[in-house]
Amino acid sequence: GGSEHIAAAAKDMEEQESDVMEMNKQVMAEKEAQITSLEGKMSDLKRVLMAYQRFTSLCVTMDRKASAPGGVSKLSCTAINHVHKKAVKFSLKMNVDVEDNLDMDATFRPVANKELLPPFLQQEATLETKQCPLLLLSILKTLFDEKKNGAGKD
């Protein structure tokens, strides 16, 4: 009668519970694998970022409070001449989330040691993002100018 029916229902519930627990274990294992994969990617990105910093002498950080995903981001930038211990700080406002953003505008603003920048960059300027490599070249050229830094004067 009734007790057999209850026992069968209890057994079904135990089997379902066991199935759910097994599914949970699988989901957790998948999540852990995803986390491990993402941690590896983050580690790779950090290493690439460090290589870029060393290669360009430029350190870039994102101002999270002043940046909107999919919109304009405010980047705080520091260009450093380690040899002569000089640095300039500037900010760039631009949309970094759009792949093909070469025709978009970026706003450049000097923040610190602007006297070390070329004269045309000693005040706020608007430029197209495709001009950013030339901007960096101008900044680094001035920052690493041997004549200004006293090299070769002996």
Side-chain angles (χ1 to χ4, degrees), residues 5-154:
H5 189 67
I6 291 171
K11 189 174 184 214
D12 280 352
M13 280 179 63
E14 279 177 27
E15 285 173 5
Q16 285 176 357
E17 208 173 275
S18 175
D19 288 349
V20 167
M21 285 174 65
E22 194 54 45
M23 283 171 53
N24 280 344
K25 281 182 191 170
Q26 285 177 350
V27 167
M28 289 301 290
E30 287 171 20
K31 293 287 179 212
E32 284 175 26
Q34 288 173 338
I35 289 169
T36 301
S37 171
L38 287 172
E39 285 172 343
K41 287 177 184 172
M42 286 290 293
S43 174
D44 290 350
L45 284 174
K46 277 184 185 172
R47 293 168 72 197
V48 167
L49 183 62
M50 290 306 297
Y52 264 108
Q53 283 182 202
R54 288 195 186 113
F55 187 66
T56 63
S57 296
L58 188 67
C59 179
V60 179
T61 56
M62 185 171 297
D63 182 342
R64 273 223 171 116
K65 290 185 196 101
S67 301
V72 172
S73 294
K74 182 180 178 191
L75 306 170
S76 296
C77 309
T78 307
I80 305 166
N81 178 334
H82 290 283
V83 176
H84 296 284
K85 299 195 178 2
K86 290 180 169 185
V88 292
K89 281 187 172 226
F90 58 94
S91 71
L92 274 177
K93 281 187 180 174
M94 60 196 272
N95 189 328
V96 294
D97 294 324
V98 178
E99 288 290 327
D100 185 26
N101 66 353
L102 292 179
D103 293 325
M104 294 179 142
D105 282 346
T107 305
F108 170 90
R109 193 168 61 80
V111 176
N113 295 333
K114 63 182 175 184
E115 69 281 356
L116 296 176
L117 291 168
F120 71 98
L121 291 176
Q122 292 183 4
Q123 66 276 321
E124 189 170 300
T126 300
L127 61 146
E128 289 184 334
T129 53
K130 63 183 165 198
Q131 295 172 305
C132 284
L134 295 173
L135 174 82
L136 179 60
L137 183 62
S138 297
I139 292 168
L140 294 179
K141 221 174 179 175
T142 308
L143 193 61
F144 285 86
D145 184 339
E146 291 300 326
K147 290 181 211 88
K148 279 190 178 177
N149 291 321
K153 284 188 179 171
D154 18 23

